[in-house]
């Protein structure tokens, strides 16, 4: 089963609740929340206060993507804020194993994100410990960038490892997913697809979600 996880980075921050309700109406189950600190990535977005406000207004699965340095310092606050999935970047900490353990101790699903320039084999030791791998198909920091094609090979590789090691890791992809390439990431093996500008820009949320779902079923 493949699910969409709309990235609120491209939503209207002055009307977040309205946009979230529009997604609920379309039966969307996940909400991707991009947290950026201006250090790990050049952009600055939102923090735990906003996550906890969102938590109060929706039962959607909060898929929180931390693009922050030293994520270990913020695991508890984001768990308290109501994250259901907490994903940290492999590149953002020297202690990825410890960070994953802290997330899991809180009963929250632990994800690890991998930048386009980072090879997947660095995850070998920790794969049995994680619930989700997030393949970045753009360099993190901004919405609306172009999909990086070799991400498809990374998705296929993780799918294969999942099978061989008998694991059940969720494979998520993030960046540059549009109507024209969504089927490619599905064929490569993803379970969870982040889409920001494809859902919140141009037309209505309903029209955009419909278009993506149609492309998924083609
Ligand atoms: C980028 C973020 C993405 C972003 C995706 O650093 O992690 O979640 O919002 O936006 P699109 O779908 O527009 O590439
Ligand atoms: Zn993201």
């Amino acid at each position: 089963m493949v699910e969409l996880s709309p990235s609120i980075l491209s939503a209207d921050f002055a009307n977040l609740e309205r946009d979230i309700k529009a997604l609920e109406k379309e039966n969307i189950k996940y909400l991707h929340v991009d947290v950026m600190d201006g250090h790990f990535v050049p952009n600055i977005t939102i923090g735990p206060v906003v996550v906890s406000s969102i938590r109060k207004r929706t039962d959607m699965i909060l898929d929180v993507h931390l693009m922050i340095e030293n994520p270990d310092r913020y695991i508890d606050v984001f768990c308290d804020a109501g994250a259901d999935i907490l994903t940290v970047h492999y590149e953002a900490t020297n202690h990825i194993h410890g960070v994953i353990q802290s997330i899991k101790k809180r009963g929250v699903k632990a994800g690890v994100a991998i930048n386009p320039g980072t090879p997947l084999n660095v995850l070998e030791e920790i794969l049995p410990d994680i619930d989700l791998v997030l393949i970045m198909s753009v360099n993190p920091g901004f919405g609306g960038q172009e999909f990086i094609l070799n991400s498809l090979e990374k998705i296929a590789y993780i799918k294969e490892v999942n099978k061989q090691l008998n694991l059940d890791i969720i494979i998520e992809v993030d960046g540059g997913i549009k109507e024209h390439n969504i089927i490619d990431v599905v064929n490569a093996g993803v379970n969870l697809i982040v889409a920001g500008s494809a859902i919140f820009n141009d037309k209505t949320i309903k029209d955009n979600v419909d278009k993506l779902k149609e492309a998924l079923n083609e």
Side-chain angles (χ1 to χ4, degrees):
M1 180 75 180
V2 177
E3 300 280 356
L4 289 171
S5 191
S7 160
I8 58 161
L9 186 60
S10 295
D12 178 354
F13 277 94
N15 287 290
L16 258 190
E17 186 177 15
R18 182 201 65 194
D19 284 1
I20 289 168
K21 293 297 155 193
L23 294 170
E24 285 178 353
K25 246 181 128 182
E26 299 312 308
N27 249 320
I28 300 284
K29 304 205 166 42
Y30 290 79
L31 190 68
H32 187 83
V33 182
D34 287 306
V35 177
M36 304 186 188
D37 67 351
H39 290 276
F40 181 67
V41 289
N43 202 359
I44 299 177
T45 55
I46 57 168
V49 188
V50 177
V51 176
S52 101
S53 296
I54 294 173
R55 177 76 295 163
K56 291 186 189 114
R57 302 299 173 97
T58 183
D59 291 329
M60 289 172 88
I61 300 166
L62 296 187
D63 165 28
V64 178
H65 177 193
L66 296 183
M67 283 160 275
I68 63 176
E69 265 168 30
N70 301 316
D72 39 303
R73 293 193 289 169
Y74 297 95
I75 298 307
D76 279 328
V77 281
F78 280 100
C79 290
D80 291 340
D84 296 295
I85 303 171
L86 204 49
T87 297
V88 296
H89 267 263
Y90 172 81
E91 303 85 359
T93 172
N94 290 324
H95 305 286
I96 191 70
H97 184 273
V99 177
I100 290 160
Q101 299 312 320
S102 323
I103 299 172
K104 291 182 75 171
K105 229 186 269 167
R106 294 293 313 261
V108 168
K109 283 202 165 124
V112 177
I114 282 281
N115 278 340
T118 306
L120 272 176
N121 57 15
V122 296
L123 297 185
E124 209 174 306
E125 295 299 324
I126 51 167
L127 279 179
D129 293 309
I130 61 185
D131 298 297
L132 179 148
V133 172
L134 173 51
I135 308 287
M136 288 306 300
S137 42
V138 297
N139 284 294
F142 301 94
Q145 302 180 73
E146 195 78 11
F147 182 82
I148 297 171
L149 212 56
N150 81 347
S151 318
L152 292 174
E153 282 162 37
K154 283 177 148 178
I155 294 166
Y157 175 84
I158 279 287
K159 188 188 173 188
E160 189 53 33
V161 173
N162 232 353
K163 203 167 112 192
Q164 276 180 12
L165 301 181
N166 219 354
L167 299 170
D168 197 18
I169 300 171
I170 299 168
I171 307 172
E172 184 175 23
V173 65
D174 185 3
I177 305 296
K178 302 270 186 289
E179 205 186 331
H180 70 88
N181 59 10
I182 194 163
I183 198 66
D184 300 336
V185 294
V186 174
N187 289 338
V190 290
N191 320 107
L192 193 55
I193 302 172
V194 179
S197 46
I199 285 186
F200 295 100
N201 290 359
D202 300 330
K203 303 213 172 88
T204 65
I205 289 172
K206 183 188 181 332
D207 285 349
N208 290 331
V209 169
D210 280 351
K211 268 200 295 181
L212 288 178
K213 282 186 177 167
E214 266 168 43
L216 266 176
N217 292 321
E218 264 163 22

